[in-house]
Amino acid sequence: MESLTEGAGKGCLLKSSENKTCLVTGSSRGLGRAIALAFGKAGYRVVIHYKDRKNEAEDTASKIKEAVAIKADVRNSKEVKRLVDAVINKWGGIDVLVNNAGITKEALLLRTSEKDFDDIIAINLKGPFNFIQAVAPCMVKQKRGHIINIGSFTGVKGKQGLSAYSASKAGLIGLTLTTAKELDIFNIMVNAVLPGYILTDMGTQSGSKAKETALKESITGKFSKPENIAKFILYLSDTGGITGQVFNLDSRVI
Ligand code: NDP
């Protein structure tokens, strides 16, 4: 246990009476923004993380009572650690980590470039790994925490034109299940959420065929709403004893 708390800093001894802290990666826009706003509304102190869109991140932060916007490339473990250390210094610890930042790029397998494959895996899979490694020592010290990884329906079912993306999200489920098993003794819950098809920047950039197929496969015939996904994540973060699960928040049948 000692080695797991190495690098956790002087903080990480949050009192249950203090406001809780939530770090949402990629919360400058899209689903991450909706999650950050839901946690802010519930009284959490929120870290708005971004890579390029500083103005959007600051705008999200401005809508929350206690929030800070911090930049880091999820691919870079040093930048991620620097961000997490800054949060611990400021607020004393982290209760909830939502690994939401992600990218996609459509191309058939035979046309997917090595660079695109590497980028997608680095952002969607190594990114959450970097954040978990940086945050978990603190949660271990606190003896509590929730980690929620944003996966995708395609990581379970696959989808034409999304081999790299599906692989990254399938890998994220493996990371979730193993982390849940390793961190359970420290009262840290680790789950994955599959949000369904949402019309964010990522969702709208896909071709019209992808949207049509998602609607056709869906029982309700509707896209998912970021606010509903955010509500579920907020609820999950307040539960105990639910860990190592993959929640499909969609009306497509697995
Ligand atoms: P958006 O494209 O709207 O937002 C992506 C976010 O990720 C932005 O905040 C962006 O920061 C951040 N980001 C991208 N690359 C990096 C990087 N290298 N380092 C740090 N941050 C980065 O995406 P969505 O809101 O649609 O998606 C959020 C999550 O939900 C993703 O994991 C996605 O895979 C998943 N998802 C989305 C679905 C959908 O239909 N939209 C369906 C299923 C899953 P910045 O603004 O600074 O560029």
Side-chain angles (χ1 to χ4, degrees):
M1 176 159 165
E2 205 46 48
S3 62
L4 283 177
T5 59
E6 244 170 56
K10 284 190 191 135
C12 310
L13 295 167
L14 289 169
K15 296 190 193 86
S16 49
S17 57
E18 284 179 276
N19 277 355
K20 288 184 175 177
T21 298
C22 173
L23 161 52
V24 186
T25 72
S27 43
S28 43
R29 55 197 165 104
L31 176 60
R33 176 182 160 96
I35 298 168
L37 294 177
F39 275 90
K41 212 168 160 196
Y44 278 74
R45 298 180 290 205
V46 187
V47 184
I48 311 299
H49 156 262
Y50 68 99
K51 178 170 168 282
D52 297 318
R53 311 271 190 113
K54 187 170 188 247
N55 290 345
E56 279 99 324
E58 285 175 351
D59 181 70
T60 308
S62 73
K63 304 212 159 23
I64 296 170
K65 195 168 165 215
E66 267 193 285
V68 61
I70 316 182
K71 176 185 166 84
D73 188 329
V74 297
R75 291 172 283 198
N76 184 323
S77 60
K78 288 200 180 82
E79 284 184 27
V80 168
K81 175 129 190 0
R82 216 174 296 136
L83 179 155
V84 169
D85 287 347
V87 175
I88 293 168
N89 280 336
K90 184 174 172 60
W91 282 329
I94 297 173
D95 295 276
V96 181
L97 164 66
V98 183
N99 274 313
N100 164 82
I103 61 159
T104 189
K105 208 164 197 189
E106 273 185 76
L108 292 172
L109 173 89
L110 295 180
R111 293 194 182 134
T112 298
S113 71
E114 187 177 347
K115 183 186 176 310
D116 284 349
F117 186 87
D118 287 347
D119 272 352
I120 290 168
I121 298 290
I123 293 171
N124 295 0
L125 182 55
K126 191 182 165 203
F129 170 80
N130 284 339
F131 266 97
I132 293 170
Q133 274 212 326
V135 168
C138 184
M139 289 183 170
V140 166
K141 210 167 161 190
Q142 291 167 187
K143 295 198 178 57
R144 73 167 199 252
H146 277 270
I147 298 171
I148 294 159
N149 297 321
I150 306 297
S152 165
F153 190 76
T154 62
V156 181
K157 296 290 276 183
K159 190 169 194 177
Q160 274 181 323
L162 289 180
S163 56
Y165 182 76
S166 309
S168 72
K169 295 298 188 178
L172 189 58
I173 291 177
L175 180 67
T176 303
L177 304 184
T178 299
T179 312
K181 288 183 177 179
E182 291 188 10
L183 297 185
D184 172 61
I185 51 163
F186 305 107
N187 190 31
I188 300 167
M189 313 281 116
V190 189
N191 291 290
V193 161
L194 320 181
Y197 201 110
I198 320 167
L199 292 179
T200 54
D201 289 346
M202 181 188 284
T204 41
Q205 95 187 17
S206 301
S208 54
K209 184 137 189 288
K211 292 188 204 93
E212 251 173 55
T213 312
L215 285 183
K216 218 183 269 169
E217 288 173 351
S218 136
I219 292 174
T220 61
K222 290 179 184 153
F223 294 115
S224 293
K225 289 207 170 108
E227 297 72 27
N228 289 336
I229 313 301
K231 257 191 228 165
F232 183 90
I233 290 171
L234 181 64
Y235 171 76
L236 186 59
S237 303
D238 203 30
T239 60
I242 302 174
T243 193
Q245 302 305 309
V246 179
F247 296 98
N248 184 36
L249 306 186
D250 198 357
S251 72
R252 283 173 289 182
V253 177
I254 287 196

